[in-house]
Amino acid sequence: MSLPVIAITVGDPAGIGPEIARKAAASKQVLACCRPVIYGPWGDDSLSAFAQGRPSAEGGQAAYEAIATAVGDALEKKVDAIATGPLSKEGLAMAGHPWKGHTDLLAHLTGASRVAMMFWSPRLRVVLATVHIPLADVPAALTAERLRDAVELSQLEMPRFGVPAPRIAVAALNPHAGERGLIGHEEETVMRPAIDALRGQGIDVTGPFPADTLFVRAARGEFDVIIAAYH
């Protein structure tokens, strides 16, 4: 079998991304499992156009173009997957782009209507209900609809990651899950009713649980995926 082709986007050329991409593409471990292709400026000559460590409109545009090209090639089946270097959100904004990170940019480029950011490891998987907004804005953004979307999408897609019947747990927004309204009301007014409705659909979801104990429980194998209220 031929090895999969993996696009590596360098992220912002003024950051650490190009160095990481270059080293990854030359790694024996990487080359043993795939054929890496770097997208974006990564050589010394091309990187000399960007002041290192300083976000700029030029850097933000270069990062955007690398991602857009890689996504186009993925949609045309020229590459099998994309690994991304870190973006500068400031650089993207300076270049006039409205996206706050890879998640919403990839959704735009692919035309996807339902998306979620997931952090994955063999022991712990975390899906975010809200992404890249100020912490002060999270309570208003954490609607029952948004929480349901995150849970339903996790239920639908976790089989792709080898979990055919995911046990989903929802992390509370407030400390101690709000203590029944004493230190926050979102758990009782928004989160618990949404979870009850999802359980009525046959989804194995429980919570909201205090985050300080939930992550330990999930890492020990009690749950397959956590829905977190914020990034």
Side-chain angles (χ1 to χ4, degrees), residues 3 18 22-23 25 33 62-63 72 83 100 109 112 114 135 187-188 202 210-211:
L3 294 175
R22 184 168 58 242
K23 290 181 177 179
C33 64
K100 298 296 189 297
L109 292 172
R114 300 182 72 189
L135 192 57
E187 285 76 15
E188 299 301 322

Side-chain angles (χ1 to χ4, degrees), residues 3-220:
L3 294 175
V5 180
I6 307 298
I8 303 176
T9 59
V10 301
D12 194 287
I16 194 65
E19 179 182 344
I20 294 174
R22 184 168 58 242
K23 290 181 177 179
S27 164
K28 291 181 179 180
Q29 184 178 4
V30 171
L31 292 170
C33 64
C34 71
R35 291 194 291 125
V37 181
I38 299 178
Y39 286 71
W42 60 272
D44 291 339
D45 289 342
S46 57
L47 291 176
S48 64
F50 306 95
Q52 294 304 293
R54 297 181 181 179
S56 66
E58 293 76 16
Q61 182 63 25
Y64 166 80
E65 291 175 359
I67 296 167
T69 303
V71 169
D73 284 353
L75 293 175
E76 294 179 7
K77 309 297 184 183
K78 295 178 180 177
V79 300
D80 297 292
I82 302 172
T84 59
L87 287 172
S88 165
K89 297 167 183 57
E90 182 180 359
L92 279 180
M94 293 171 73
H97 296 296
W99 303 287
K100 298 296 189 297
H102 282 102
T103 303
D104 49 350
L105 174 53
L106 291 172
H108 167 76
L109 292 172
T110 60
S113 58
R114 300 182 72 189
V115 298
M117 180 188 293
M118 180 173 74
F119 301 116
W120 183 94
S121 76
R123 294 180 61 198
L124 193 62
R125 307 163 192 91
V126 181
V127 174
L128 304 180
T130 67
V131 182
H132 293 155
I133 61 174
L135 192 57
D137 295 342
V138 170
L142 188 65
T143 62
E145 181 180 7
R146 182 166 288 189
L147 187 58
R148 286 196 301 267
D149 281 346
V151 172
E152 289 174 347
L153 192 57
S154 299
Q155 168 74 12
L156 178 66
E157 298 296 341
M158 283 307 297
R160 288 171 170 253
F161 298 88
V163 185
R167 298 163 299 167
I168 303 170
V170 177
L173 172 66
N174 296 296
H176 305 288
E179 292 281 8
R180 295 190 178 276
L182 291 176
I183 49 177
H185 62 83
E186 287 82 6
E187 285 76 15
E188 299 301 322
T189 61
V190 177
M191 305 181 82
R192 202 176 304 280
I195 292 168
D196 289 343
L198 289 162
R199 289 182 63 82
Q201 297 173 208
I203 297 176
D204 186 356
V205 56
T206 50
F209 298 115
D212 51 3
T213 55
L214 176 56
F215 284 86
V216 175
R217 293 170 65 185
R220 290 175 176 171

